[in-house]
Amino acid sequence: MAVTIKTIAEELGVSYATVSRALNDHPDVNDDTKKRVIEKANEMGYQPNAIARGLVNKETKTIGLVIPDITNPFFPQVARGVEEAAATAGYNIFLCNSNWNKDREEHYVNALLQKQVDGLIITPSSEDLGHLKKLLKSKIKAVFISSFIPMENYTSVIVDNVLGTEKAVDHLIEKGYKKIAFIGAGEERFANKERLKGYKKALAKHNIKVRDEFITSVKRSYDQESGYELMKKILTRFDKSKLPDAVICYNDLLALGTIQAIKEAELRVPEDIAVIGFDDISFSSLSEIKLTTVAQPKYEMGKLALETLVEKIKSNSDKEFKSQIILTPELKIRKTT
Amino acid sequence: MAVTIKTIAEELGVSYATVSRALNDHPDVNDDTKKRVIEKANEMGYQPNAIARGLVNKETKTIGLVIPDITNPFFPQVARGVEEAAATAGYNIFLCNSNWNKDREEHYVNALLQKQVDGLIITPSSEDLGHLKKLLKSKIKAVFISSFIPMENYTSVIVDNVLGTEKAVDHLIEKGYKKIAFIGAGEERFANKERLKGYKKALAKHNIKVRDEFITSVKRSYDQESGYELMKKILTRFDKSKLPDAVICYNDLLALGTIQAIKEAELRVPEDIAVIGFDDISFSSLSEIKLTTVAQPKYEMGKLALETLVEKIKSNSDKEFKSQIILTPELKIRKTT
DNA sequence: CTGAAAGCGCTAACAC
DNA sequence: GTGTTAGCGCTTTCAG
């Protein structure tokens, strides 16, 4: 049996209400008894039961964080931002990894709801939020990362995706590339749509016709392997002379895979084909890689998400919140362009 | 007000015990009422309150996972193993990132204890467990990863570190390298001690004298930057002719940094200096990197840790558990040796 | 300043 | 099969 407030009350011959008060540093309590209680508590190794406390207070001081791929360094970086901000705000994080799987995501969101988290930060695995209806019904405070949910009460922390790919295309064209392909992440992803929009917008600006056969998408897992395989297909699909001379990838992982495929085909990066990624994960800056990429402020995004979530939690009123917090991406020009 | 078991009992005109039974699929309940209850529950969007349930049942179906650096891809991989095993066992994970900081680690462990997690998986930031005394006192079920705590009741999931570096040295010597340096992670780390032991053991086996000046350590953060800086120092400390011709690093991140430093000094890897890492993070196999490294079965380690933890939780008896589960590392020979 | 008592939402005897 | 009740550990009125 763990030591509870009651045990220590008995030891001291006071009521357990007093103990509770003393431990919570309540003003109305004799300094002396307070001291005695605290001493005893330490002596007995008392640990408050947060579960019981949560039942009474209706707040658990924990927030749920649902990400789709802990294996993509982008997300650990975001998670660190969330977590450190949480630590300073006095919250703990439930970190769940959906693996881009809707069912798992739904399962986690439900579990989190049942565990009475005070709020939720989520990068949904899909823009179709049907599986999250309980979330939406539950009126829980939530903020989204990298995904825009056009609904009141929710705010999204995102990067200006359109601007990101626009910068990428501008840079490519300035460097003389003309046949620019886009390796995306599936039509349904919000960020993908936006990045594609920026791509097309920039091409139009430079009077370059959008070529549908230059726009492709991997499905589900946005990792090196997918990038590798898709690029390989592209490499065989076109005559050598008709190949794109540059490709913009949805993220760095995809870009890394793309580069592998290009090199394997005995082509050079960037001389034959230039490659640009998105995210700027730490490995992209290694001297062997030096991937040109559109950097997202990952840590800040996590931090901001948590801070606005906490604000929302604390303002129990119907205060208005921005529905989007848009950060500016930065093009890091390295050696693959 | 959220909908509770009581609300739906009132709606249906039954006692709330019945509702509880129906919802928990208890045998002693009329099939018909069960159906009615479940329907009503869905209709009203009922979500059980896991907090209340935990208070009664004295189990929360959640386990805490404390890792030191979510930014090192080794740990996300372990975390995935833990999490997926947890999902199939019906547990949720509290993921905490201590950032190699003892205070934060202590803070997290306490928070986790207060939140009544059913068990703990932890890679301590330090072998000196003083800051975790509450953990040790609390008799909570725990398993350690990558760190051996010689105490009954605790089990550690580790890799055979001695064997790992032994293999590395053997390989190097076979390749003709003789002046092998070791870039470690501080004396106090268990895994570091073991890896150093393997290094010395293997050198002895090959009749090569251990040279203290070839054994160095980074402190605190075991990342690329630390590796880079330390190697840079080594490169300036020795005359060109007296430089090591190979270096074994405590982990892949350090090795990546080491390689940067070597190349920056206009030396070649592996011709001038060979480099071996430890872990085999996914980026090490990129064609631009191709780091020779001692691979750890990261995912399996996480999975195993969780599974034995769950076993421990379920066996409330004083059943004996192995104090160490030792997996075998595998040397992946690539291009840096 | 301190104690008694209610109640958070749920489960599990114990009756009926 | 179903209702009643106690109680998990804690906070918080409400009295005194």
Side-chain angles (χ1 to χ4, degrees):
Chain A
M1 200 49 259
V3 19
T4 76
I5 216 181
K6 221 165 183 170
T7 344
I8 106 145
E10 279 164 11
E11 284 291 308
L12 251 41
V14 298
S15 80
Y16 61 94
T18 305
V19 175
S20 169
R21 280 190 276 255
L23 258 17
N24 287 309
D25 205 32
H26 205 86
D28 295 343
V29 74
N30 190 321
D31 275 359
D32 190 52
T33 51
K34 187 184 290 185
K35 215 189 309 177
R36 283 171 54 223
V37 169
I38 292 176
E39 250 167 41
K40 199 67 179 178
N42 283 332
E43 184 190 321
M44 303 184 73
Y46 170 73
Q47 287 280 97
N49 183 328
I51 239 70
R53 194 177 270 176
L55 190 55
V56 177
N57 291 342
K58 276 145 171 355
E59 65 165 11
T60 53
K61 287 291 183 187
T62 109
I63 83 112
L65 172 61
V66 183
I67 59 174
D69 185 6
I70 197 179
T71 262
N72 178 346
F74 172 78
F75 292 106
Q77 211 72 285
V78 172
R80 253 192 72 226
V82 171
E83 192 182 30
E84 296 194 352
T88 88
Y91 285 80
N92 267 142
I93 300 300
F94 260 122
L95 192 289
C96 304
N97 180 214
S98 73
N99 239 338
W100 295 113
N101 180 144
K102 263 179 152 175
D103 291 337
R104 270 184 73 177
E105 188 168 294
E106 178 173 12
H107 165 83
Y108 276 134
V109 168
N110 288 340
L112 257 11
L113 254 27
Q114 298 185 182
K115 295 222 160 115
Q116 313 296 120
V117 294
D118 296 339
L120 224 49
I121 297 177
I122 175 166
T123 297
S125 63
S126 152
E127 239 54 39
D128 162 20
L129 260 36
H131 61 304
L132 298 184
K133 48 189 181 307
K134 288 207 187 145
L135 199 196
L136 308 173
K137 259 169 75 175
S138 75
K139 282 292 195 175
I140 196 175
K141 315 278 181 162
V143 358
F144 293 85
I145 292 184
S146 283
S147 185
F148 174 52
I149 289 12
M151 274 170 57
E152 39 180 353
N153 293 322
Y154 293 111
T155 113
S156 297
V157 174
I158 50 182
V159 101
D160 188 334
N161 287 292
V162 177
L163 180 61
T165 36
E166 232 187 303
K167 282 181 174 176
V169 171
D170 285 349
H171 163 65
L172 249 15
I173 286 174
E174 192 178 308
K175 281 267 191 172
Y177 296 100
K178 293 243 158 55
K179 299 185 290 178
I180 304 170
F182 182 82
I183 291 187
E187 278 311 313
E188 75 282 10
R189 298 239 75 212
F190 166 78
N192 189 70
K193 260 181 284 187
E194 296 289 299
R195 291 176 199 174
L196 194 52
K197 196 187 292 176
Y199 162 84
K200 289 180 177 170
K201 183 179 165 195
L203 287 184
K205 194 169 63 187
H206 295 285
N207 294 314
I208 295 182
K209 205 177 75 205
V210 173
R211 296 221 260 140
D212 282 342
E213 70 274 26
F214 274 3
I215 299 178
T216 52
S217 263
V218 298
K219 42 187 159 339
R220 256 329 51 131
S221 63
Y222 312 134
D223 54 16
Q224 295 158 54
E225 217 176 298
S226 306
Y228 172 80
E229 271 156 25
L230 183 49
M231 189 63 201
K232 231 172 155 175
K233 245 185 253 166
I234 293 175
L235 255 10
T236 55
R237 186 185 309 150
F238 295 94
D239 275 358
K240 204 148 197 167
S241 63
K242 301 205 166 144
L243 240 25
D245 57 11
V247 14
I248 297 178
C249 295
Y250 176 76
N251 71 17
D252 282 3
L253 255 23
L254 252 21
L256 260 21
T258 298
I259 293 175
Q260 308 286 312
I262 295 174
K263 291 195 175 167
E264 221 168 79
E266 314 225 308
L267 294 171
R268 293 157 307 161
V269 176
E271 294 82 355
D272 296 313
I273 302 181
V275 177
I276 296 192
F278 211 108
D279 288 352
D280 193 26
I281 60 177
S282 67
F283 297 95
S284 297
S285 58
L286 284 177
S287 71
E288 291 85 356
I289 310 273
K290 288 221 174 297
L291 175 68
T292 295
T293 187
V294 181
Q296 299 200 59
K298 303 165 278 298
Y299 183 89
E300 283 68 30
M301 288 167 77
K303 185 161 179 274
L304 255 169
L306 186 109
E307 287 169 350
T308 93
L309 180 59
V310 168
E311 253 188 82
K312 282 186 177 220
I313 292 169
K314 297 218 163 133
S315 79
N316 33 355
S317 69
D318 286 313
K319 197 179 135 191
E320 286 284 318
F321 279 89
K322 266 185 274 194
S323 72
Q324 291 190 72
I325 297 176
I326 305 178
L327 303 180
T328 303
E330 187 193 347
L331 181 68
K332 302 248 182 178
I333 299 170
R334 295 200 270 243
K335 300 290 183 210
T336 59
T337 56
Chain B
M1 200 46 259
V3 19
T4 76
I5 214 178
K6 222 165 182 168
T7 344
I8 105 146
E10 280 163 10
E11 283 292 307
L12 252 42
V14 298
S15 80
Y16 61 94
T18 304
V19 176
S20 169
R21 280 190 278 254
L23 259 16
N24 288 309
D25 206 30
H26 206 84
D28 294 343
V29 73
N30 190 320
D31 275 359
D32 189 53
T33 52
K34 187 183 293 186
K35 215 188 309 178
R36 281 172 55 222
V37 168
I38 292 177
E39 249 167 41
K40 198 69 179 174
N42 283 332
E43 183 191 321
M44 304 184 72
Y46 169 75
Q47 286 280 98
N49 183 328
I51 239 71
R53 193 178 272 177
L55 190 55
V56 177
N57 290 342
K58 277 149 169 353
E59 64 165 12
T60 53
K61 287 291 182 186
T62 109
I63 84 110
L65 172 60
V66 183
I67 59 173
D69 184 7
I70 198 179
T71 264
N72 178 345
F74 173 78
F75 291 106
Q77 211 70 285
V78 172
R80 252 192 72 226
V82 170
E83 192 181 31
E84 296 195 351
T88 87
Y91 285 80
N92 267 141
I93 300 300
F94 261 124
L95 193 288
C96 304
N97 180 214
S98 73
N99 238 340
W100 295 113
N101 181 143
K102 263 178 152 176
D103 291 338
R104 270 184 73 177
E105 187 168 293
E106 179 174 11
H107 165 81
Y108 276 134
V109 169
N110 288 340
L112 257 10
L113 253 27
Q114 298 185 182
K115 295 220 161 119
Q116 313 297 118
V117 294
D118 296 339
L120 225 49
I121 297 178
I122 174 167
T123 297
S125 63
S126 152
E127 240 52 40
D128 163 20
L129 259 37
H131 62 302
L132 299 184
K133 48 188 177 312
K134 288 206 188 145
L135 200 194
L136 308 173
K137 258 168 76 175
S138 75
K139 282 292 195 173
I140 196 176
K141 316 279 180 161
V143 359
F144 293 85
I145 292 184
S146 283
S147 184
F148 174 51
I149 288 9
M151 276 171 56
E152 38 180 354
N153 292 323
Y154 294 112
T155 112
S156 297
V157 174
I158 52 182
V159 101
D160 188 335
N161 287 291
V162 177
L163 180 61
T165 37
E166 233 187 304
K167 283 181 174 176
V169 172
D170 285 349
H171 163 67
L172 251 13
I173 285 173
E174 193 178 306
K175 281 267 191 171
Y177 297 99
K178 293 246 156 54
K179 298 185 292 178
I180 303 171
F182 182 82
I183 291 187
E187 277 311 313
E188 74 284 7
R189 297 240 76 212
F190 165 79
N192 188 71
K193 261 181 284 189
E194 297 288 298
R195 290 177 199 175
L196 194 52
K197 198 188 288 175
Y199 162 82
K200 290 179 177 172
K201 183 178 164 196
L203 287 184
K205 193 170 63 186
H206 294 285
N207 293 314
I208 295 182
K209 206 177 75 204
V210 172
R211 298 221 260 140
D212 282 342
E213 71 274 25
F214 274 3
I215 299 177
T216 52
S217 263
V218 297
K219 43 190 161 333
R220 258 327 52 130
S221 63
Y222 313 135
D223 54 17
Q224 296 160 53
E225 217 177 299
S226 306
Y228 173 81
E229 271 156 24
L230 183 50
M231 189 63 201
K232 231 172 155 173
K233 246 186 250 164
I234 293 176
L235 255 11
T236 55
R237 186 185 308 151
F238 295 94
D239 275 357
K240 204 147 194 167
S241 63
K242 301 207 166 143
L243 240 26
D245 58 10
V247 14
I248 297 178
C249 295
Y250 176 75
N251 70 18
D252 282 2
L253 255 23
L254 252 21
L256 260 21
T258 298
I259 293 174
Q260 308 287 312
I262 295 173
K263 291 195 174 167
E264 222 168 77
E266 313 224 311
L267 294 171
R268 293 156 307 162
V269 177
E271 294 82 356
D272 297 311
I273 302 181
V275 177
I276 295 191
F278 210 109
D279 288 351
D280 193 26
I281 60 177
S282 67
F283 298 94
S284 298
S285 58
L286 283 178
S287 71
E288 292 84 356
I289 311 273
K290 288 223 174 295
L291 176 68
T292 294
T293 188
V294 181
Q296 298 200 59
K298 301 164 279 297
Y299 182 89
E300 283 68 31
M301 288 168 78
K303 185 160 178 275
L304 254 167
L306 186 109
E307 286 169 351
T308 94
L309 180 59
V310 168
E311 255 189 81
K312 281 185 178 221
I313 291 170
K314 297 217 164 136
S315 78
N316 34 356
S317 68
D318 286 312
K319 196 180 137 192
E320 287 283 319
F321 279 91
K322 267 185 271 193
S323 71
Q324 292 189 74
I325 297 175
I326 305 178
L327 303 181
T328 303
E330 187 194 346
L331 180 69
K332 302 249 181 179
I333 299 170
R334 294 200 269 244
K335 301 290 184 210
T336 61
T337 55

